[in-house]
Amino acid sequence: MEARKKKLPIGIENFEEIRTKGFYYVDKTGLIKELLENWGKVTLFTRPRRFGKSLNMSMMKSFFELGGRKEIFEGLEISKEVSLCEEYMGKIPVISISLKGVDAGSFETARELAVQIINGEARRFQCLLNSDRLTVYDKDAYTALLRADMSEAVLYGSLKVLSELLEKHYGRKVILLIDEYDVPLSKAFEQGYYDLSRNYEDVKEWYDGYRFGNVEVYCPWDVVNYCDELRADSNALPQNYWSNTSSNEVVRKFIQGADIGTTKNEIERLVAGEVIKKEIHQELTYKDMYNSIDNIWSILFTTGYLTQRGKPERKSFYLAIPNMEIREIFIEQIMDFFKENIKKNGDTVNAFCNALQKGEAEEVEKRFSDYLRKTISIRDTFVKKSKKENFYHGILLGLLGYKDTWIISSNEESGDGYSDILVRSEDEEIGIVIEVKYAENGKLEEACQEALQQIERKGYQEELQEEGIEHILKYGIACYKKRCKIMLVDDRPEAKK
């Protein structure tokens, strides 16, 4: 007599239904043993769609769930593992949800559907209402999971709360199964909720660049935070999220220790986007961290301020700053270190300011050049021209801020545009206008002339004149790497004689 053929389980994702209604089943129960023996707190299955993930979820629920039907596993691979079956089969509380139904066109509808899913799963455990192991407050927390008008806070913590209550009631850790976790994200993307296409280059420039083994990755913390900003403001600019989670102490120590030419040059090369080869020791202890500048290179690498490029050669790694965000941290620390040093060199800074006030352009140029040679500078690669000008602008502001009797304005609206720097001297009725240019091609005098012409064309001195300041010095300052050129237009009466 011909054996009766079974049915093909097309579209059937329920394990118990397949095993009890005469469908073919390809035995995947050996997966249970693998999961138990290779234990992990979280396991993520990322197979393509329609490859049996949901059926495997249903199979695991049927195996572990309290009071499950043991007979549906008879004859399957897992039934051979007698000790595992005795310890785990039908012995563990299981929370199982599918987000497949959260297929909505708006956030509000998606949230309502998610609430319904939590309501439905929570209703399966109404035994908790009569539990003598739960307090009145525990039961109140459970009741909140049954409400259709669940608050945002309750929804966010719902699975955690339900897991804790079940563990307290049954005295066993809970297994949580989440199927179709990506459906809400996919639907949101389709509706433009996560449309980052026009921000892709910004995200890549600021948060990409880390390398682990052969894989390049973005910093997930930064990307998630920036996405959150974009949800509220589609024009939000990338920013540094690391500063909120770290003191950046290691970068500060690194820059402070760069008192020799080689290390200072290496920092400049890193900031310029170049690669530096260094021996890395990943086994350092806390007490050894800051013993030497060589150790700090290792700490910068292991903490993510530097990443590797290419393949290491034994302990030697090719290191680079991963992205714009980390580069900004280095620049901020360089500027902070520069400002600290200004306080230690009062006489020199005072001489620079006095020369500026007296209209001694050559002396100002000489002293500013000295500072550029001594400080860690931003090289002429990797960033736009405006960013390079900002670096020299920052150094000038640090020097000018030394004078207590000077009022310094930066990028203040004046005339037909915004001047780089305006200085008002309280002890003498003198005003100073400074326009900074970066000489992209190294032609410093040409850039200086351009700066002075811009001051005149846009009338940057008008703000000072309206305040009654008649004596005004106009400086055009051009910079290129560690060189500078300074030119002056002196409107003081004595200068015109």
Side-chain angles (χ1 to χ4, degrees):
M1 182 177 175
E2 184 179 351
R4 182 183 175 187
K5 292 183 178 179
K6 294 186 176 184
K7 297 174 286 187
L8 293 173
I10 298 174
I12 308 297
E13 298 177 340
N14 184 285
F15 175 78
E16 185 172 334
E17 183 179 356
I18 286 177
R19 291 290 290 161
T20 58
K21 299 291 180 64
F23 291 99
Y24 282 108
Y25 175 67
V26 178
D27 191 353
K28 300 289 183 64
T29 58
L31 175 65
I32 296 171
K33 179 185 177 182
E34 290 182 27
L35 290 172
L36 290 172
E37 291 183 346
N38 301 304
W39 184 88
K41 277 192 171 183
V42 177
T43 302
L44 176 66
F45 296 96
T46 58
R47 282 193 241 170
R49 294 178 60 81
R50 315 314 305 168
F51 269 65
K53 296 190 299 295
S54 296
L55 178 56
N56 281 341
M57 290 279 201
S58 178
M59 176 263 291
M60 287 188 284
K61 177 186 176 185
S62 296
F63 179 84
F64 290 110
E65 190 167 42
L66 291 162
R69 298 175 61 181
K70 297 182 180 182
E71 66 272 14
I72 62 177
F73 288 91
E74 289 179 1
L76 298 179
E77 185 70 21
I78 193 62
S79 64
K80 300 174 185 177
E81 306 296 331
V82 178
S83 61
L84 283 180
C85 289
E86 288 180 351
E87 184 176 358
Y88 295 103
M89 187 184 286
K91 301 289 181 65
I92 300 178
V94 176
I95 299 172
S96 179
I97 65 170
S98 172
L99 301 183
K100 186 176 183 178
V102 187
D103 187 356
S106 70
F107 173 81
E108 291 74 19
T109 304
R111 183 190 177 281
E112 290 178 10
L113 293 172
V115 168
Q116 291 177 16
I117 290 170
I118 298 299
N119 289 160
E121 186 64 6
R123 283 197 297 270
R124 294 201 309 120
F125 302 103
Q126 294 185 50
C127 59
L128 295 176
L129 291 171
N130 301 315
S131 174
D132 57 4
R133 293 188 176 184
L134 301 186
T135 67
V136 173
Y137 302 106
D138 291 333
K139 293 175 183 179
D140 286 344
Y142 171 69
T143 303
L145 303 180
L146 302 172
R147 296 177 61 91
D149 59 347
M150 188 185 301
S151 70
E152 292 283 322
V154 172
L155 176 60
Y156 290 162
S158 57
L159 293 177
K160 182 175 184 290
V161 169
L162 187 55
S163 299
E164 291 172 347
L165 296 176
L166 288 172
E167 181 183 354
K168 191 171 182 179
H169 175 67
Y170 289 109
R172 294 207 65 164
K173 288 286 186 182
V174 175
I175 288 178
L176 172 60
L177 302 174
I178 302 177
D179 195 17
E180 301 284 0
Y181 69 91
D182 63 329
V183 169
L185 300 175
S186 177
K187 191 64 179 180
F189 182 77
E190 290 174 15
Q191 297 294 324
Y193 194 72
Y194 289 121
D195 184 11
L196 292 171
S197 56
R198 69 188 183 95
N199 302 96
Y200 176 75
E201 291 302 324
D202 287 337
V203 173
K204 183 175 180 60
E205 181 181 32
W206 274 78
Y207 309 125
D208 190 16
Y210 293 96
R211 187 175 181 87
F212 298 96
N214 295 321
V215 180
E216 289 196 8
V217 301
Y218 289 73
C219 175
W221 169 259
D222 295 318
V223 174
V224 170
N225 274 280
Y226 186 42
C227 287
D228 189 50
E229 295 279 351
L230 289 171
R231 286 175 55 196
D233 178 7
S234 60
N235 295 313
L237 297 174
Q239 58 180 289
N240 182 347
Y241 298 103
W242 267 50
S243 293
N244 297 327
T245 59
S246 169
S247 66
N248 303 314
E249 175 73 6
V250 64
V251 178
R252 188 171 68 85
K253 292 281 189 182
F254 183 51
I255 291 167
Q256 287 177 339
D259 55 356
I260 53 175
T262 300
T263 304
K264 186 166 70 173
N265 177 261
E266 287 171 333
I267 294 175
E268 292 176 346
R269 289 172 58 195
L270 283 172
V271 173
E274 296 183 30
V275 175
I276 305 294
K277 184 180 180 181
K278 286 291 174 181
E279 188 170 293
I280 296 300
H281 304 278
Q282 302 190 55
E283 68 284 354
L284 288 175
T285 62
Y286 277 107
K287 66 182 181 65
D288 298 324
M289 285 174 56
Y290 299 123
N291 281 356
S292 69
I293 198 73
D294 291 330
N295 286 358
I296 296 181
W297 282 96
S298 299
I299 302 303
L300 288 168
F301 173 67
T302 56
T303 52
Y305 289 98
L306 298 177
T307 190
Q308 69 182 82
R309 295 284 184 256
K311 294 183 178 180
E313 299 172 0
R314 295 177 64 83
K315 288 190 175 183
S316 293
F317 286 69
Y318 293 91
L319 304 176
I321 294 175
N323 51 44
M324 185 67 76
E325 179 188 42
I326 306 302
R327 184 176 181 275
E328 289 293 305
I329 292 175
F330 272 86
I331 293 174
E332 287 172 7
Q333 294 298 320
I334 289 170
M335 294 306 298
D336 286 347
F337 182 58
F338 169 75
K339 291 171 184 176
E340 290 174 9
N341 280 343
I342 286 176
K343 298 174 184 177
K344 301 174 184 177
N345 297 284
D347 292 342
T348 304
V349 180
N350 199 48
F352 168 83
C353 293
N354 288 339
L356 192 77
Q357 184 170 279
K358 292 176 181 178
E360 298 173 351
E362 291 184 6
E363 181 67 13
V364 175
E365 181 181 308
K366 175 181 177 298
R367 291 188 176 277
F368 191 50
S369 296
D370 288 342
Y371 268 103
L372 292 181
R373 281 193 294 270
K374 292 174 184 176
T375 190
I376 299 170
S377 66
I378 296 177
R379 297 274 293 280
D380 61 331
T381 56
F382 200 70
V383 294
K384 298 176 182 177
K385 180 173 178 285
S386 60
K387 287 282 187 180
K388 298 165 193 171
E389 289 175 355
N390 287 346
F391 172 73
Y392 299 101
H393 187 144
I395 290 179
L396 280 168
L397 287 176
L399 293 170
L400 297 173
Y402 180 79
K403 295 283 282 188
D404 293 335
T405 58
W406 284 7
I407 301 172
I408 313 298
S409 303
S410 177
N411 292 319
E412 179 176 296
E413 186 171 4
S414 179
D416 294 330
Y418 292 85
S419 57
D420 270 358
I421 300 173
L422 292 182
V423 180
R424 299 160 174 85
S425 175
E426 291 184 348
D427 52 357
E428 294 186 32
E429 292 184 358
I430 292 177
I432 300 172
V433 181
I434 298 174
E435 180 66 25
V436 181
K437 292 292 181 186
Y438 184 79
E440 198 77 63
N441 52 12
K443 297 179 179 179
L444 293 166
E445 187 164 340
E446 182 180 300
C448 255
Q449 293 285 1
E450 182 186 346
L452 291 174
Q453 290 168 9
Q454 184 171 323
I455 292 173
E456 295 295 336
R457 185 173 66 253
K458 292 186 175 290
Y460 290 159
Q461 74 280 0
E462 290 176 8
E463 178 73 17
L464 300 175
Q465 290 171 340
E466 288 174 3
E467 295 175 11
I469 300 175
E470 298 180 359
H471 304 169
I472 298 175
L473 301 170
K474 305 170 189 174
Y475 283 96
I477 298 181
C479 301
Y480 179 70
K481 297 184 178 180
K482 291 182 177 291
R483 295 161 49 206
C484 77
K485 177 69 177 176
I486 297 179
M487 299 176 69
L488 168 70
V489 172
D490 192 344
D491 283 350
R492 292 177 300 172
E494 61 268 28
K496 295 178 181 179
K497 292 179 181 179

